[in-house]
Amino acid sequence: MFKLGLGQDIGIDLGTATVIAYVKGKGIVLREPSVVAVDRNSGDVLAVGGEARRMIGRTPANIDVIRPLRDGVISNYEITEEMLSRFIEKIVEKKGFGRFVMPRIMVCVPTGVTEVEKRAVEDATKKAGAREVYIIEEPIAAAIGSGIDIAQPNGNMVIDIGGGTTDIAVISLGGSVVSDSIKLGGDKFDEAIIKYIKKEYNVLIGERSAEKLKIEIGTAVKEDEPRTMNISGRNLVKGLPVTISVSSTEILEALDSCIEQIVIATKNLLEKTPPELAADISDKGIIMTGGGAMLRDLDKRVEQSTGIKVTLAHDPLSCVAKGTGLSLSSLDLLETGGNFKK
């Protein structure tokens, strides 16, 4: 149990695929899948996080396994509130009578979400146990978490590829100068792989199998020596279990359309970037963060298409959560840049 003093701050990356929490001085203190298991009859929450994720595709008829966040925003308010409450309880030190020290919490949201969507995140976090709630856009948090000094009058471009969205922004003087968000991320990668295997092999595989293929042999550029992997699924003609061998070349074919959408969005934003900031980006390069950015050679694909050096941030999966937590120490700067909402 991590003990927090009164007034201690928590940064939460409330992701479509994963919830990650960061506490300054302690680092990442929680990393759990954004999944909840619910009893369909009573409505009771049976499990959250990793325990619930292990139930995907293995539940009886009376249990639903739900992802309460879709495309980076809340799709099921009550379930999100319960999930957050349980996660916060894991982090925060409990005091007598079952009450715990209520922290300040900064939560990130995708670029371009509506005020209604921001309010839903804020309200759910408050009801889950926060004393004060601040909202920050993901690219700003990703930039801070990757070590960029966003206070400087220099252009920095960040591409954050999460589970539900890809957020791209050019940042200078603590704010987003131009930004874009597309509803495409790691989950869409998985869906594309499932669709491809179904079409090419007449075999249905599950989400976890698709994710495994993406992680193990997924790639964004053609390989000289393709890798292969065996995966099990259900033959849609015979209805029986079957094991097939899939190559990295096939996974590239499955993901190519998704990858190209990210490349196009990046190039479009560069075209909208003011010349002085574009020159800065050309000199310093582009930073990629998020779990989706870890797809093999995705940085090379973006670099080849834009002609600008692309660097994968250190620990890209945790950058947003880290930046969200650290940003609570820079509220004045962020308020000046118009990047957070209290």
Side-chain angles (χ1 to χ4, degrees), residues 93-222:
E93 178 189 24
K94 288 190 174 181
K95 296 294 184 182
F97 307 103
R99 297 175 65 84
F100 55 73
V101 179
M102 298 177 71
R104 293 194 310 170
I105 296 179
M106 179 77 83
V107 186
C108 66
V109 294
T111 295
V113 297
T114 65
E115 288 301 316
V116 172
E117 290 165 338
K118 285 183 181 179
R119 178 65 66 179
V121 172
E122 183 180 355
D123 289 347
T125 309
K126 275 187 177 177
K127 288 184 179 179
R131 183 174 86 253
E132 294 178 14
V133 179
Y134 300 87
I135 305 295
I136 186 173
E137 292 186 355
E138 285 181 10
I140 300 294
I144 295 170
S146 63
I148 294 172
D149 184 357
I150 66 169
Q152 298 302 312
N154 298 315
N156 296 282
M157 190 173 204
V158 176
I159 304 173
D160 178 63
I161 307 173
T165 62
T166 293
D167 292 276
I168 312 167
V170 175
I171 301 161
S172 179
L173 289 170
S176 289
V177 180
V178 288
S179 62
D180 190 18
S181 180
I182 56 175
K183 295 185 183 302
L184 188 154
D187 287 352
K188 285 289 193 294
F189 289 176
D190 297 342
E191 290 173 18
I193 291 170
I194 291 171
K195 186 177 179 180
Y196 179 88
I197 298 298
K198 183 179 179 181
K199 179 184 175 184
E200 296 297 320
Y201 290 93
N202 223 6
V203 170
L204 183 64
I205 62 172
E207 290 179 24
R208 296 186 68 178
S209 295
E211 184 182 36
K212 192 172 182 181
L213 281 169
K214 176 183 69 180
I215 293 170
E216 296 293 332
I217 63 170
T219 181
V221 299
K222 189 174 182 179

Side-chain angles (χ1 to χ4, degrees), residues 159 161 165-166 168 182 184-186 189 256-268 288 292-293 295 298 302 306:
I159 304 173
I161 307 173
T165 62
T166 293
I168 312 167
I182 56 175
L184 188 154
F189 289 176
D256 195 63
S257 176
C258 294
I259 295 167
E260 194 58 26
Q261 287 182 61
I262 293 172
V263 169
I264 290 170
T266 302
K267 291 167 77 172
N268 287 343
M288 290 184 68
L295 178 69
L298 182 53
V302 176
T306 62

Side-chain angles (χ1 to χ4, degrees), residues 310-321:
V310 178
T311 303
L312 185 64
H314 174 69
D315 193 8
L317 196 60
S318 303
C319 280
V320 171

